[in-house]
C-alpha cells in the first residue's frame, strides 16, 4: 500500500500506518499520533489509561478545527 497523501503530491512512498478515521494509508511524514483516553472510570492510583491513535494529516487537522478552543 502507498501513502495516499504522497500520491496526491505525485510521489510514491510506502504507507507505514493506516488512518483510524478515514482508512487511508499514510507514510511517516503524513501520520499524526495522539494519545486517546480509554473509556471507563480512571484508576485512582494511575489515572485514566491512554491508547495511541494514528490519523492522516487531513483528519488530524479536521478534528482539531472541530474542537472548542482550549480543548
Amino acid at each position: 500500500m502507498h501513502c495516499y497523501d504522497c500520491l496526491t503530491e505525485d510521489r510514491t512512498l510506502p504507507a507505514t500506518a493506516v488512518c483510524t478515521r478515514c482508512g487511508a494509508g499514510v507514510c511517516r511524514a503524513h501520520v499524526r499520533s495522539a494519545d486517546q483516553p480509554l473509556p471507563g472510570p480512571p484508576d485512582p492510583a494511575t489515572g485514566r489509561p491512554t491508547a495511541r491513535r494514528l490519523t492522516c494529516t487531513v483528519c488530524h487537522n479536521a478534528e482539531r478545527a472541530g474542537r472548542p478552543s482550549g480543548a
Side-chain angles (χ1 to χ4, degrees), residues 1 3 5 9 15 26 35 49-50 62 69:
M1 180 187 301
C3 174
D5 289 340
E9 299 167 359
V26 287
D35 290 337
T50 59
S69 61

Side-chain angles (χ1 to χ4, degrees), residues 49-71:
T50 59
R52 179 176 43 220
R53 184 166 185 263
L54 303 176
T55 57
C56 67
T57 304
V58 172
C59 290
H60 174 79
N61 292 339
E63 289 177 350
R64 288 181 55 99
R67 286 186 192 157
S69 61

